[in-house]
Amino acid sequence: MLLGRRITVLGAGVGGLAVARALALRGAQVTVLEQSEAIREVGAGLQVSPNGARVLRALGLGAALDSAGPQGRAVELWDGPGEQRLLRMTLPPRHAGQSDVHYLHRARLISILAEGAREAGVTIRLLHRVEQVTLGAHPPRLTTAQGVEMEADLLIGADGLHSKLRAAINGAAAPFFTHQTAWRALLPAEADAEPVAQVFMGPGRHLVSYPLGGGLRNIVAVQERHKWVEESWSLTDDSIALRTAFADFGPKVRGWLDQVEAPGLWGLFRHPVAKNWHAPGAVLLGDAAHPTLPFFAQGACLALEDAWVLAEALAGHDSDAAAFAAYQQIRAARVAKVVGLANGNARNYHLSGLPRAVAHMGLRAINALAPERMLKRFDWVYDHDVTAGA
């Protein structure tokens, strides 16, 4: 049961703030520890698909989501160098006659979740960088960068790719560099920009773009290369390197990239889904448990799903151990399948030579005959509703 339980959450990201609100609404006393001096989200845009939107609506944040950015109408796949559209998949109406796919800036989603957490009674403590988590004796112990030690009656690690809690539970891990690097940027959006996610594909690289509302367009561009790049959201690159990588793409992409200054840069690493998601008094959530490559736009949505399932499990079981076990059992197979799907897209977007020609011929045929069938392959992702129960 959760009434009066004191719970500490590491990380004020999407998953951490969502689980904090979910637990507080069920009666828990929740404190979120965030290492930054302010709640903010670096990066650019993200997509919230229906499976994630259902969680936000169940948390009472649906109206805020609807006003945060445009609702998507379609997904398009393009031949980047030839600038020819290969396939348009219209998103089916799911909510109020619209798709319930949302394009928004990460900072806007973080703001919605932070406001929702505080409104539910969550305490958010900034400048609390946790350097060490000690397990083995209950309750877990935390040591901050300032040398302050504290205990957590129940600890949730929503602290991302470099999670201190994941390392404490599973030991150190060695992620695999995919030999892919990504740039991100925000540009002014055209006044008449249609809310469509477009993927421009080329040999060894691709670029994704969609409008975010508020006069902004999101750009994420990925290139295969052997030079190692740090897995960090704080790096920037020379815009010439980005433009050079896509110099043979069509005028639409080149026109966007001509506007980019100092794009963000990060290396893409493949992390295994954690073997163990929990230990006595502690449990992992979101990227801390199952990082995913950004090739299926599900990182935020999987964290939202985790948040709901974990809160329900803790509220519905007599012991934390039983709740943690149920939570991992419900989530592990699904997240592994979605992570695998993202890994596959990394290959499919970057085909070259004969395989690329054959694949593009197939996409054109699907577009002419039954484009909706392509999208229906992913109904198991988008139609999933964790708020309806296991």
Side-chain angles (χ1 to χ4, degrees), residues 55-190:
V55 175
L56 292 170
R57 296 190 188 286
L59 290 174
L61 303 175
L65 174 65
D66 288 338
S67 64
Q71 289 181 281
R73 294 180 187 170
V75 177
E76 295 179 348
L77 300 181
W78 288 68
D79 174 355
E83 200 168 285
Q84 296 177 335
R85 190 172 71 188
L86 305 172
L87 175 66
R88 179 182 170 99
M89 297 174 284
T90 301
L91 298 171
R94 297 174 186 266
H95 170 73
Q98 299 189 58
S99 68
D100 218 15
V101 173
H102 301 259
Y103 307 141
L104 63 158
H105 197 288
R106 288 177 180 271
R108 183 64 185 125
L109 180 57
I110 292 295
S111 177
I112 290 169
L113 289 166
E115 292 171 11
R118 290 191 173 108
E119 185 272 336
V122 174
T123 299
I124 301 175
R125 296 182 178 175
L126 304 175
L127 292 172
H128 277 64
R129 181 184 181 91
V130 174
E131 293 289 354
Q132 183 175 347
V133 178
T134 303
L135 303 176
H138 188 71
R141 294 184 179 181
L142 311 175
T143 304
T144 70
Q146 294 79 16
V148 177
E149 294 188 359
M150 61 184 72
E151 293 183 343
D153 292 343
L154 192 161
L155 181 62
I156 298 175
D159 46 342
L161 288 172
H162 307 293
S163 169
K164 299 294 185 181
L165 183 55
R166 173 173 172 146
I169 294 174
N170 292 275
F176 168 75
F177 181 44
T178 64
H179 297 288
Q180 296 175 333
T181 55
W183 294 273
R184 65 184 185 278
L186 293 175
L187 308 174
E190 308 86 345

Side-chain angles (χ1 to χ4, degrees), residues 2-32:
L2 287 174
L3 188 61
R5 289 290 307 274
R6 294 189 301 169
I7 300 175
T8 301
V9 178
L10 301 183
V14 172
L17 293 170
V19 77
R21 177 172 170 86
L23 292 167
L25 291 175
R26 291 164 173 81
Q29 297 178 19
V30 186
T31 299
V32 176

Side-chain angles (χ1 to χ4, degrees), residues 62-383:
L65 174 65
D66 288 338
S67 64
Q71 289 181 281
R73 294 180 187 170
V75 177
E76 295 179 348
L77 300 181
W78 288 68
D79 174 355
E83 200 168 285
Q84 296 177 335
R85 190 172 71 188
L86 305 172
L87 175 66
R88 179 182 170 99
M89 297 174 284
T90 301
L91 298 171
R94 297 174 186 266
H95 170 73
Q98 299 189 58
S99 68
D100 218 15
V101 173
H102 301 259
Y103 307 141
L104 63 158
H105 197 288
R106 288 177 180 271
R108 183 64 185 125
L109 180 57
I110 292 295
S111 177
I112 290 169
L113 289 166
E115 292 171 11
R118 290 191 173 108
E119 185 272 336
V122 174
T123 299
I124 301 175
R125 296 182 178 175
L126 304 175
L127 292 172
H128 277 64
R129 181 184 181 91
V130 174
E131 293 289 354
Q132 183 175 347
V133 178
T134 303
L135 303 176
H138 188 71
R141 294 184 179 181
L142 311 175
T143 304
T144 70
Q146 294 79 16
V148 177
E149 294 188 359
M150 61 184 72
E151 293 183 343
D153 292 343
L154 192 161
L155 181 62
I156 298 175
D159 46 342
L161 288 172
H162 307 293
S163 169
K164 299 294 185 181
L165 183 55
R166 173 173 172 146
I169 294 174
N170 292 275
F176 168 75
F177 181 44
T178 64
H179 297 288
Q180 296 175 333
T181 55
W183 294 273
R184 65 184 185 278
L186 293 175
L187 308 174
E190 308 86 345
D192 59 348
E194 185 183 17
V196 170
Q198 297 174 305
V199 183
F200 295 83
M201 302 176 293
R205 62 215 190 282
H206 78 278
L207 181 144
V208 180
S209 182
Y210 46 87
L212 299 176
L216 293 175
R217 171 174 292 280
N218 188 57
I219 296 285
V220 177
V222 177
Q223 180 191 33
E224 295 179 5
R225 64 184 188 183
H226 290 287
K227 183 179 179 181
W228 184 87
V229 176
E230 183 181 350
E231 188 178 34
S232 170
W233 283 89
S234 60
L235 300 178
T236 58
D237 196 18
D238 189 327
S239 58
I240 294 176
L242 171 58
R243 287 194 282 271
T244 299
F246 292 85
D248 64 340
F249 272 41
K252 182 189 292 289
V253 168
R254 295 201 311 272
W256 287 335
L257 298 186
D258 283 344
Q259 304 174 61
V260 174
E261 298 180 4
L265 175 72
W266 81 103
L268 299 180
F269 288 73
R270 190 176 299 158
H271 297 251
V273 175
K275 180 180 179 180
N276 300 308
W277 291 25
H278 55 90
V283 63
L284 301 172
L285 181 149
D287 280 350
H290 47 78
T292 179
L293 292 172
F295 300 138
F296 198 62
Q298 283 296 301
C301 291
L302 290 180
L304 290 168
E305 290 182 3
D306 283 356
W308 184 272
V309 173
L310 179 56
E312 286 285 275
L314 286 167
H317 288 79
D318 293 332
S319 72
D320 292 344
F324 294 164
Y327 160 66
Q328 181 170 351
Q329 192 278 328
I330 291 169
R331 297 295 297 151
R334 172 171 170 80
V335 300
K337 191 175 180 181
V338 174
V339 169
L341 187 59
N343 292 342
N345 278 348
R347 296 185 296 270
N348 296 336
Y349 289 162
H350 293 182
L351 295 174
S352 60
L354 182 59
R356 181 171 183 267
V358 172
H360 285 198
M361 185 182 302
L363 290 173
R364 289 188 179 94
I366 292 170
N367 190 61
L369 298 175
E372 69 283 353
R373 292 182 61 183
M374 188 75 166
L375 195 61
K376 284 188 69 63
R377 296 190 307 152
F378 308 119
D379 282 351
W380 64 273
V381 178
Y382 302 131
D383 288 350

